[in-house]
Every structure is written in structure tokens, then in C-alpha cells.
Amino acid sequence: MKLEIARGLFFLSALAIATAAAAAWEEPGPGILSATAHCPAPHTVKVQVVATPDQDLLLLLFGLRQGLRPQS
């Protein structure tokens, strides 16, 4: 088999696989939830008090940000 024929068959098979993958790709689009789609919490679940952030949160975020800098 000539190299050109093999290359053409490989290209066509890769194109067929990419087309099948694109056709099978299903991603839901953005939508608006209606009031009937709301699922209320069960009555047995108690409402918890919102926790205040820790005092060290700003220090933690600063340390994480410093770690993202490139080494120079």
C-alpha cells in the first residue's frame, strides 16, 4: 500500500471518529428554572446558623496567592 493511500485512509478515519464524537457530545444549554422545579428541603432538616469566617482566612488566602507566583 502506498504511503499516500495509507495517509488518506488514516485521515478519513480520524475525521469519521471526530465527527462521531462531535455528534455524541451533548452539553445542556443554559436554562431558567421555574418555580415548579424547586425542590424544598425536608422538614426534618434544621436550618443551621451561618458560620462567620475564621480570622486566619485572609492570611491563608495571602499565603496561597504567594505560592502561585513564579520562582524567579
Side-chain angles (χ1 to χ4, degrees):
M1 182 181 286
K2 289 188 170 186
L3 183 61
E4 293 82 15
I5 295 173
R7 189 178 295 160
L9 288 176
F10 177 74
F11 177 73
L12 289 177
S13 64
L15 186 62
I17 291 171
T19 305
W25 185 292
E26 183 178 337
E27 195 169 317
I32 299 174
L33 296 177
S34 64
T36 58
H38 176 67
C39 182
H43 295 290
T44 58
V45 176
K46 295 181 182 179
V47 177
Q48 297 179 353
V49 178
V50 177
T52 57
D54 191 21
Q55 296 296 328
D56 294 332
L57 181 61
L58 186 59
L59 183 61
L60 171 69
L61 291 175
F62 179 73
L64 290 174
R65 178 65 182 111
Q66 294 297 321
L68 292 176
R69 288 190 178 168
Q71 301 283 333
S72 55

